[in-house]
Amino acid sequence: MGNKKTSSKTSKLMFSNCHAVVMIYMLVMFILFPFFLTNYYGNARRDKFWFFVIATSVAAVILLFLLLFDFIKSKMNSSCAGLSQFEPFSISISDIGIISFFIATLISALLASLSGGDFNVYFIGSNGRNMGVLAILMMLLAYFMISRFFYCKKYVFLFVIFAMAIMSYIAIVNFYYFDPLNIFAQYKKSESVILNFTSTIGNKNYLSAMICVALPFSIGLSLATNDKLTRILSYVSVAIQFMALIVATSDGGFLGCFIAIAVIFIVICKDFKKLSKLIICLAV
């Protein structure tokens, strides 16, 4: 029985093609997504939205194909070894919550369209916002892919904090009227664009929202890692992102980051070593 338990645990930790797909998807979303623009800031919102939709859809289709292939292969071999990847599909409370939210969104869109509304608007979302059924569906798919097939790889974390630092650095130099990407040169006569848009992410509110995700991640990485180089790079990334948060001038961004830091503090407050790391990270 001991050998069976050991082999079962080992099978869950084996890096598979499904894990590789999800890791590539995460790298694409954290490294390419922030920098993707087709017409400077003119189509920034649409560019980001459809990039997210296409990247998530492609990853989901490939992942589904791999899962079906493994399932069929395991059936043909009359073995349950291939089914190990299906074990993470037990339903949790958070799963029920996000599924319920999607169902509620879908029902709301259907009822609104039956009342005379335009279903296309409810499905894709209003122009520029795009927070319709399609966006919620993509978030649902991204949640299940990452929660089921995330595999801890050091290089992924390093790529993420590096990309976030570069995005934030561009925002900082933009604030001081340096234009390394020659984007603001296209909007010399539009002062509102120069005041409200920055970096390659577009609107400053989007920059602060991205930092709300990346900054707590970078802080958490600095606390969790035992590698000195990774910790130092995390500190540098946190410092650059926090400066970018300041120049983004978004109250919501500060509120979100401070709440995340407070939650991290509550979680680690009993661990003096991690608490000291947090204090050093925030001091930087």
Side-chain angles (χ1 to χ4, degrees):
M1 291 296 291
N3 292 336
K4 288 184 178 180
K5 288 183 179 180
T6 303
S7 63
S8 176
K9 290 181 180 180
T10 304
S11 65
K12 290 182 181 179
L13 296 174
M14 288 178 61
F15 188 77
S16 67
N17 291 330
C18 294
H19 294 110
V21 170
V22 172
M23 300 309 286
I24 292 172
Y25 169 71
M26 291 179 63
L27 288 173
V28 166
M29 288 304 301
F30 276 103
I31 297 176
L32 298 183
F33 173 82
F35 304 100
F36 179 73
L37 292 172
T38 59
N39 185 29
Y40 303 105
Y41 294 139
N43 299 323
R45 291 175 176 176
R46 187 178 66 182
D47 291 342
K48 304 298 184 185
F49 172 71
W50 286 111
F51 186 97
F52 171 57
V53 169
I54 293 173
T56 306
S57 300
V58 171
V61 170
I62 295 174
L63 189 61
L64 179 61
F65 173 79
L66 290 174
L67 289 172
L68 289 175
F69 177 79
D70 287 343
F71 180 77
I72 294 172
K73 184 178 178 180
S74 66
K75 287 294 185 181
M76 292 178 64
N77 293 338
S78 300
S79 172
C80 293
L83 294 176
S84 60
Q85 295 187 38
F86 291 86
E87 292 179 13
F89 280 86
S90 57
I91 301 298
S92 65
I93 295 177
S94 58
D95 299 339
I96 295 173
I98 193 169
I99 292 173
S100 300
F101 177 63
F102 172 71
I103 293 174
T105 303
L106 181 60
I107 293 174
S108 177
L110 292 173
L111 292 176
S113 62
L114 291 174
S115 300
D118 187 357
F119 182 75
N120 289 331
V121 174
Y122 302 129
F123 182 72
I124 298 178
S126 60
N127 186 30
R129 300 297 179 183
N130 301 118
M131 284 303 295
V133 175
L134 181 59
I136 304 302
L137 176 61
M138 293 300 107
M139 293 177 190
L140 178 72
L141 291 175
Y143 165 79
F144 276 105
M145 288 191 296
I146 295 173
S147 63
R148 267 53 183 184
F149 295 102
F150 173 77
Y151 198 93
C152 184
K153 289 285 188 179
K154 177 183 174 181
Y155 66 84
V156 174
F157 299 141
L158 294 178
F159 274 123
V160 169
I161 61 175
F162 177 75
M164 295 300 101
I166 294 297
M167 179 195 71
S168 301
Y169 177 76
I170 295 173
I172 295 168
V173 297
N174 284 164
F175 180 76
Y176 292 102
Y177 299 101
F178 289 101
D179 190 16
L181 300 180
N182 199 38
I183 295 178
F184 287 134
Q186 315 300 320
Y187 300 97
K188 290 181 179 179
K189 297 181 180 179
S190 181
E191 186 177 352
S192 62
V193 172
I194 297 175
L195 291 175
N196 297 314
F197 287 74
T198 188
S199 191
T200 56
I201 200 69
N203 192 285
K204 286 185 176 180
N205 290 327
Y206 293 161
L207 172 67
S208 63
M210 195 76 177
I211 294 175
C212 278
V213 175
L215 184 65
F217 172 83
S218 301
I219 293 174
L221 181 61
S222 70
L223 301 178
T225 185
N226 292 320
D227 182 62
K228 290 184 178 180
L229 177 60
T230 303
R231 187 180 305 120
I232 292 172
L233 293 176
S234 299
Y235 289 162
V236 173
S237 182
V238 168
I240 296 174
Q241 289 178 58
F242 195 79
M243 286 188 284
L245 184 63
I246 293 173
V247 302
T249 62
S250 173
D251 295 337
F254 279 106
L255 180 62
C257 287
F258 287 153
I259 290 175
I261 292 172
V263 171
I264 293 174
F265 176 80
I266 293 172
V267 172
I268 68 168
C269 63
K270 293 183 179 180
D271 189 327
F272 179 77
K273 188 176 181 180
K274 289 185 177 180
L275 187 60
S276 61
K277 289 180 182 179
L278 177 62
I279 294 173
I280 294 172
C281 182
L282 296 178
V284 171

